[in-house]
Amino acid sequence: MRLLPSAGAGKTQRIVIGDHDGVLQCVGMKKGEPQNVFKTAPSKQINRLELGGPVGGAKERIFTASGSEVKGYTKKGKNFLQFDTNLSEPIQSLNQNYFMKWKFLVPQLCFSYMVTMEVKKAMKYSMEPLMAELVWYRYQDTIHLLCPSHRWELPNEKRNGGVLCIDNFDITADGVLDLMIGRDDGQVEVYSYDEADEPIHRYSHTCSESITAIQGGVVGTGGYDEIVCSTYAGWVLGLTSEQLTKGIVGTGETLVSAAAHDKINTLKGELEDLHSKVIQEREKYQQTANSNTAISAVPGFNINDKFVLNREDASYTLSLELQMPIDNVLLQSDVPIDLLDVEKNSAVVSYSACNPEEGNFLLATYRCQANTTRLELKIRSIEGQYGTLQAYITPRLQPKTCQVKQYQIRPLSLHQRTHIFDDNRPLNTLTLTGNFSLAEMHSWITFCLPELPERTPPGDSVTFHFMSTFLDTQLECLYRKGEAVFRSDNISTISILKDVLTKEATKKKIKMDITYDIIEDSVPYTLNLIHPKLEYQLLLAKKVQLIDGLKELQVHENDSTFMSAEYLQILEDADLLQAEFKKQPCHLERLYGMITDLYIDKFKFKGQNVKGKVPALLEVLDNYDLQTLVQFFEASA
């Protein structure tokens, strides 16, 4: 969705929209009502829409991308451009711009997909998101090097959704462009800039659907700025600066402006018409379904889904969004996972009994409230245990239909790609050699770790770095044809890779030679990384256990000043402590499990089975002291 420039002073702007049905339409506002300017016939799904125009002139030309095809339209809807770029992947972004080359202005139409941008005349631009220090691009036969500078960063401290769209517009009317952000959880945010050009949060608004486009302009009423947004389900909405409390009609709590009152009556009429049409179409469908010549037709629907790892709390966010209300979602997993609470989630969850011996570790059903089109879930997996999570999504459609989405829980699922690796840490090394190709090794590593490209990267060798979101340990993967080397400060990471990769090689009947170099100092190093997390969870659990007793004591005693400052603080923070503890189910058990795995893996590489000593290790953990724990690891040697 984009806003065409205004046709003159005091005139409102028109909205141009491209949708999943391949329809491009232009809409203007007249007397508060939307009016169609033009509308094209359905075609391929439009993935991107941008505006362009001559240098220094108004951007009134409309460009759309559908698959690998680009089309251009005038502001009146006339198609003046159409060509196929022959790109191997669908175009996700395009932009018309100009750059200086030999003192000539050369117009370029850029097409982008993933993190690589390819344009006509063989120019190529590539950078790693957020972490880039050097950017190379090629124009004809000349190589150029750019060095981008880091200006500022907006951390996602409230853990809102991912950013889907941004725009710059002076919505605060202070003469400086403001930053407007649309997120996939429906959050709309406005940031201004202070004297140091740092962004400051000004306004926010929450929608129930993901924001697919955001623009600032004047659409509804001349002279009043607006933020116009489009959503995944197809709604276009505006947040206006116009005062809407003039001309009040009604009494009591139903006070609304005269214009709003008329609009409500109009909308009520439209809803009644739509309701009548729905009843008529439903009756037609029932008659057709009961006839002898009826053909069963299952209604199709699109699912906008995302399954991403969150570095902040080492969990996965599964978001499911439909263009119609969701009835229910059934989750099934053949691997142990935890479902975490999500504050934004209003669905009611119920668990069903399942038998782990049959490979079924989770059965949970989320029943959604009416008009819920987006559901967000949080999941935490256990590294070393891998399988498939399945989501059965049922919308409120007739006849009833369901789609299944599958998500891989990988062996090292809590590892995240990074571009920083510390060689000064005590690093254990695993080396695999054998008659395997680069592509085969890449496919095995992709099976083990998230955030890797499916295609084998170019070159004779490949290097990737990862960081554990749960423990902050690191992993380096360096592999080529016939050889793969893995380095990590966590022995358990090396152990998991060894087990999974040898299993995958055995499936293809590929013989591999395995060598490893285990560094003793890596064990206390990893235990020191776990220490602050374990100590915090133990203290949190202890405080939560004391809350009920302290509250009972407070009720029976008129004066609670005799309590220590620590106990008084626990009572004051009781709700926050219980809420935090509730958000971290099995967190303490997970840390215990990681320490136990580290203990077993350390001696497994020495050819020793120490599973019989695990009860003694758990006793040490119940009376936790870091030094005592390190000594236990060393004494068992």
Side-chain angles (χ1 to χ4, degrees):
M1 182 274 296
R2 290 290 180 264
L3 299 184
L4 288 169
S6 175
K11 293 188 177 182
T12 57
Q13 296 173 253
R14 293 173 176 174
I15 307 172
V16 186
I17 308 160
D19 63 27
H20 286 189
D21 294 329
V23 176
L24 175 69
Q25 57 183 314
C26 180
V27 179
M29 298 296 290
K30 188 175 182 181
K31 296 182 179 179
E33 296 296 326
Q35 304 289 331
N36 266 332
V37 178
F38 70 81
K39 186 175 183 179
T40 66
S43 183
K44 295 180 184 177
Q45 173 179 321
I46 297 175
N47 294 328
R48 193 70 177 185
L49 185 153
E50 292 291 349
L51 302 180
V55 181
K59 291 188 175 182
E60 298 179 328
R61 295 174 184 174
I62 306 160
F63 295 94
T64 64
S66 301
S68 61
E69 189 177 55
V70 175
K71 294 181 180 179
Y73 298 85
T74 65
K75 64 180 180 180
K76 295 184 178 179
K78 182 181 178 181
N79 182 207
F80 68 87
L81 174 69
Q82 182 171 338
F83 67 94
D84 197 320
T85 62
N86 294 319
L87 291 172
S88 59
E89 297 181 33
I91 299 169
Q92 299 297 330
S93 178
L94 76 160
N95 192 18
Q96 183 193 22
N97 216 321
Y98 302 83
F99 65 92
M100 295 297 294
K101 182 65 178 175
W102 298 310
K103 298 184 179 179
F104 290 99
L105 275 177
V106 183
Q108 297 291 326
L109 190 59
C110 304
F111 313 100
S112 76
Y113 51 94
M114 298 177 69
V115 295
T116 303
M117 301 181 69
E118 292 193 6
V119 302
K120 296 193 297 185
K121 297 192 180 180
M123 168 179 155
K124 189 170 184 179
Y125 168 98
S126 179
M127 68 179 294
E128 295 174 298
L130 299 180
M131 304 296 291
E133 294 182 1
L134 303 176
V135 180
W136 298 85
Y137 74 87
R138 177 170 63 89
Y139 177 79
Q140 293 182 351
D141 295 325
T142 308
I143 303 296
H144 299 263
L145 174 65
L146 303 179
C147 299
S149 60
H150 187 276
R151 296 290 298 275
W152 48 260
E153 181 178 335
L154 283 175
N156 192 8
E157 295 174 349
K158 295 183 179 179
R159 297 180 184 174
N160 293 324
V163 176
L164 291 185
C165 49
I166 59 175
D167 189 34
N168 292 291
F169 183 78
D170 184 14
I171 194 68
T172 56
D174 60 356
V176 179
L177 294 177
D178 302 305
L179 176 65
M180 302 183 301
I181 297 174
R183 298 181 180 270
D184 63 8
D185 61 352
Q187 193 81 0
V188 178
E189 298 173 322
V190 177
Y191 291 84
S192 295
Y193 295 92
D194 59 16
E195 295 178 354
D197 287 338
E198 292 287 332
I200 301 173
H201 182 265
R202 293 297 187 191
Y203 310 106
S204 61
H205 177 80
T206 303
C207 303
S208 59
E209 302 162 5
S210 61
I211 307 300
T212 55
I214 188 168
Q215 289 271 275
V218 180
V219 177
T221 306
Y224 293 98
D225 295 332
E226 294 179 39
I227 300 174
V228 183
C229 306
S230 63
T231 71
Y232 176 75
W235 290 99
V236 177
L237 58 99
L239 306 173
T240 182
S241 59
E242 181 181 5
Q243 184 71 22
L244 298 178
T245 56
K246 52 190 178 183
I248 297 297
V249 297
T251 58
E253 296 180 355
T254 60
L255 293 176
V256 294
S257 67
H261 187 268
D262 294 340
K263 199 166 192 176
I264 290 171
N265 290 332
T266 303
L267 289 172
K268 283 182 179 178
E270 290 180 3
L271 284 173
E272 290 175 1
D273 292 341
L274 287 171
H275 185 64
S276 300
K277 288 180 182 179
V278 168
I279 293 174
Q280 292 173 7
E281 292 299 323
R282 188 172 290 167
E283 290 175 352
K284 284 182 184 178
Y285 176 81
Q286 294 295 338
Q287 292 173 2
T288 305
N290 294 328
S291 68
N292 295 327
T293 59
I295 299 175
S296 177
V298 177
F301 58 93
N302 295 319
I303 300 175
N304 182 23
D305 62 329
K306 185 178 69 170
F307 189 61
V308 294
L309 177 62
N310 306 304
R311 184 178 181 85
E312 295 82 8
D313 58 359
S315 69
Y316 275 86
T317 296
L318 172 61
S319 63
L320 303 166
E321 186 170 19
L322 275 61
Q323 293 171 330
M324 69 281 294
I326 302 172
D327 187 8
N328 63 77
V329 173
L330 170 66
L331 291 183
Q332 184 273 334
S333 175
D334 59 4
V335 64
I337 58 173
D338 292 333
L339 295 180
L340 310 182
D341 285 340
V342 179
E343 294 179 2
K344 306 173 189 176
N345 190 351
S346 59
V348 178
V349 62
S350 58
Y351 295 89
S352 301
C354 49
N355 188 358
E357 294 178 359
E358 297 175 355
N360 197 8
F361 286 86
L362 173 71
L363 278 176
T365 304
Y366 286 84
R367 292 176 174 83
C368 300
Q369 297 181 1
N371 300 322
T372 298
T373 59
R374 188 177 187 275
L375 181 65
E376 187 173 293
L377 314 172
K378 277 210 168 189
I379 294 157
R380 181 171 289 139
S381 58
I382 302 173
E383 289 204 324
Q385 303 192 43
Y386 53 97
T388 305
L389 171 67
Q390 298 189 104
Y392 296 78
I393 303 106
T394 305
R396 294 182 187 273
L397 284 179
Q398 293 295 336
K400 281 293 181 183
T401 184
C402 175
Q403 278 193 37
V404 184
K405 289 285 187 178
Q406 293 186 336
Y407 307 95
Q408 295 302 314
I409 307 296
R410 305 182 189 278
L412 294 174
S413 56
L414 300 182
H415 277 69
Q416 190 175 55
R417 282 277 302 278
T418 182
H419 303 279
I420 300 172
F421 190 80
D422 184 5
D423 280 301
N424 294 320
R425 294 188 182 189
L427 299 172
N428 306 284
T429 305
L430 171 68
T431 304
L432 305 177
T433 56
N435 189 25
F436 52 81
S437 66
L438 176 64
E440 284 173 326
M441 180 53 69
H442 179 73
S443 68
W444 298 339
I445 294 175
T446 302
F447 176 77
C448 293
L449 289 151
E451 300 183 357
L452 286 175
E454 291 184 7
R455 294 184 179 181
T456 306
D460 296 330
S461 65
V462 180
T463 303
F464 288 113
H465 294 124
F466 294 87
M467 181 72 73
S468 169
T469 56
F470 200 86
L471 294 181
D472 294 328
T473 55
Q474 60 184 16
L475 168 66
E476 179 185 68
C477 305
L478 192 155
Y479 53 99
R480 58 178 61 87
K481 180 181 178 182
E483 183 185 34
V485 180
F486 306 93
R487 296 194 300 160
S488 176
D489 47 353
N490 188 350
I491 292 177
S492 294
T493 301
I494 293 293
S495 177
I496 291 169
L497 278 171
K498 172 181 169 293
D499 293 343
V500 177
L501 293 178
T502 51
K503 186 177 179 180
E504 292 300 308
T506 303
K507 286 181 183 178
K508 289 202 169 187
K509 298 180 179 179
I510 296 175
K511 184 180 178 181
M512 288 199 305
D513 293 326
I514 304 170
T515 59
Y516 44 83
D517 181 20
I518 302 303
I519 306 300
E520 290 288 337
D521 290 345
S522 69
V523 173
Y525 184 87
T526 303
L527 291 175
N528 271 281
L529 290 176
I530 298 175
H531 171 69
K533 297 177 175 61
L534 181 58
E535 192 175 46
Y536 178 80
Q537 288 299 323
L538 287 168
L539 184 60
L540 177 63
K542 181 181 177 181
K543 288 180 179 179
V544 170
Q545 287 176 350
L546 290 172
I547 287 174
D548 289 340
L550 290 174
K551 282 186 175 180
E552 187 176 347
L553 188 62
Q554 189 180 39
V555 169
H556 288 85
E557 299 291 338
N558 295 328
D559 186 8
S560 57
T561 55
F562 67 91
M563 292 188 189
S564 66
E566 180 186 356
Y567 288 166
L568 290 173
Q569 191 65 44
I570 290 174
L571 282 172
E572 185 178 343
D573 300 336
D575 292 339
L576 292 173
L577 292 170
Q578 288 175 328
E580 185 177 358
F581 189 73
K582 187 180 178 182
K583 286 181 182 179
Q584 304 289 346
C586 306
H587 203 102
L588 196 57
E589 288 81 356
R590 286 290 174 87
L591 291 168
Y592 277 24
M594 288 179 175
I595 293 173
T596 304
D597 289 342
L598 182 65
Y599 180 68
I600 293 172
D601 291 333
K602 173 188 175 180
F603 292 99
K604 184 173 72 173
F605 280 104
K606 293 183 176 182
Q608 301 175 28
N609 187 342
V610 293
K611 290 183 179 179
K613 297 183 179 180
V614 169
L617 172 62
L618 294 177
E619 287 184 14
V620 173
L621 290 173
D622 287 339
N623 302 283
Y624 176 70
D625 175 73
L626 176 60
Q627 194 59 40
T628 305
L629 181 62
V630 172
Q631 289 172 357
F632 181 86
F633 269 74
E634 293 173 349
S636 300

